[in-house]
Amino acid sequence: AQTVTQSQPEMSVQEAETVTLSCTYDTSESDYYLFWYKQPPSRQMILVIRQEAYKQQNATENRFSVNFQKAAKSFSLKISDSQLGDAAMYFCAYRSRNTGNQFYFGTGTSLTVIP
Amino acid sequence: KAGVTQTPRYLIKTRGQQVTLSCSPISGHRSVSWYQQTPGQGLQFLFEYFSETQRNKGNFPGRFSGRQFSNSRSEMNVSTLELGDSALYLCASSPQPTSYEQYFGPGTRLTVT
């Protein structure tokens, strides 16, 4: 089975600074998707960014970008110009391209933004 | 469009009882997945339904079951509740099983005493 590992249970960042959240995964597949989800204290999970494994170019969404290293099975999230609203639990997730909507999630990183 | 809705939002049950949770997907979405979220285990996949058929199932005991109706609404049932079933149960919907994005509901917080 696929596994997703987030080794940083908690992170903190000063407002307006940059922070990087780490994620590694284990799979024998070559075609898959990777995601970062954000879960604010209200608990509604929100998609932050996604990456298709066949694309070499790293995905970017405004202040959020990823560093996708397929050979190393690493998928980190960089948040630039951190804002107070970025404070949340962040989950890294894996989805095979072939097995439907079965996502595998990491255990999450709790991000605190310091004013 | 309205988002994914889940009812009830909070539930307290006694060990040994059974519970049914409901999920209404985004209009037009036909795939519904369920996850259990606990502090120790994180999010774990329970099952996925599409066109009233279970397509995938996670590694949970048979006490956990679900179904999907013709309008794509889904329910999950947990029988003979155990203390360890206390968790946040999240539902997510997608247009199709092949869609790569899921949209999550707010969850149902189940407490078993």
Side-chain angles (χ1 to χ4, degrees):
Chain A
Q2 287 75 13
T3 57
V4 179
T5 302
Q6 293 178 251
S7 59
Q8 307 154 315
E10 298 178 345
M11 292 281 285
S12 62
V13 62
Q14 290 285 145
E15 196 176 1
E17 295 296 309
T18 296
V19 64
T20 299
L21 309 184
S22 301
C23 173
T24 58
Y25 58 95
D26 188 25
T27 183
S28 58
E29 298 177 326
S30 60
D31 200 3
Y32 49 86
Y33 302 103
L34 295 165
F35 306 83
W36 279 97
Y37 277 89
K38 169 185 176 181
Q39 189 178 42
S42 65
R43 296 199 295 257
Q44 190 112 19
M45 296 272 282
I46 303 165
L47 177 66
V48 174
I49 198 166
R50 74 170 186 271
Q51 174 81 41
E52 289 95 328
Y54 66 87
K55 289 187 178 178
Q56 292 187 339
Q57 187 173 6
N58 290 323
T60 299
E61 288 287 343
N62 301 314
R63 298 181 296 107
F64 299 87
S65 62
V66 299
N67 183 4
F68 173 48
Q69 301 290 327
K70 191 172 184 179
K73 296 180 183 175
S74 171
F75 182 61
S76 61
L77 174 70
K78 185 171 82 171
I79 306 174
S80 304
D81 186 25
S82 297
Q83 301 175 358
L84 295 177
D86 294 334
M89 197 76 168
Y90 285 81
F91 292 95
C92 178
Y94 169 102
R95 177 196 182 280
S96 168
R97 193 179 180 91
N98 302 315
T99 58
N101 278 323
Q102 181 167 354
F103 281 52
Y104 296 88
F105 285 85
T107 50
T109 297
S110 178
L111 178 66
T112 301
V113 180
I114 303 166
Chain B
K1 263 187 190 177
V4 179
T5 58
Q6 293 186 246
T7 57
R9 291 294 308 278
Y10 302 91
L11 206 49
I12 299 175
K13 290 287 189 179
T14 303
R15 195 170 44 183
Q17 288 185 315
Q18 74 165 13
V19 67
T20 299
L21 312 181
S22 181
C23 171
S24 292
I26 292 171
S27 177
H29 285 196
R30 297 172 61 201
S31 173
V32 174
S33 298
W34 288 89
Y35 294 85
Q36 181 195 65
Q37 185 178 14
T38 58
Q41 300 292 323
L43 283 102
Q44 292 186 290
F45 174 79
L46 280 156
F47 25 65
E48 178 199 4
Y49 285 88
F50 175 71
S51 292
E52 302 176 63
T53 301
Q54 187 180 90
R55 296 188 74 250
N56 287 301
K57 189 178 193 305
N59 189 25
F60 278 82
R63 300 185 298 107
F64 291 81
S65 62
R67 59 177 175 169
Q68 187 181 34
F69 302 94
S70 58
N71 63 357
S72 296
R73 190 177 69 86
S74 177
E75 289 181 346
M76 68 162 282
N77 184 77
V78 188
S79 62
T80 320
L81 283 165
E82 300 177 1
L83 295 178
D85 297 333
S86 295
L88 180 67
Y89 289 88
L90 293 170
C91 167
S93 77
S94 298
Q96 302 284 341
T98 52
S99 306
Y100 49 65
E101 293 184 14
Q102 288 191 335
Y103 299 86
F104 284 83
T108 294
R109 170 69 67 186
L110 172 64
T111 301
V112 182
T113 63

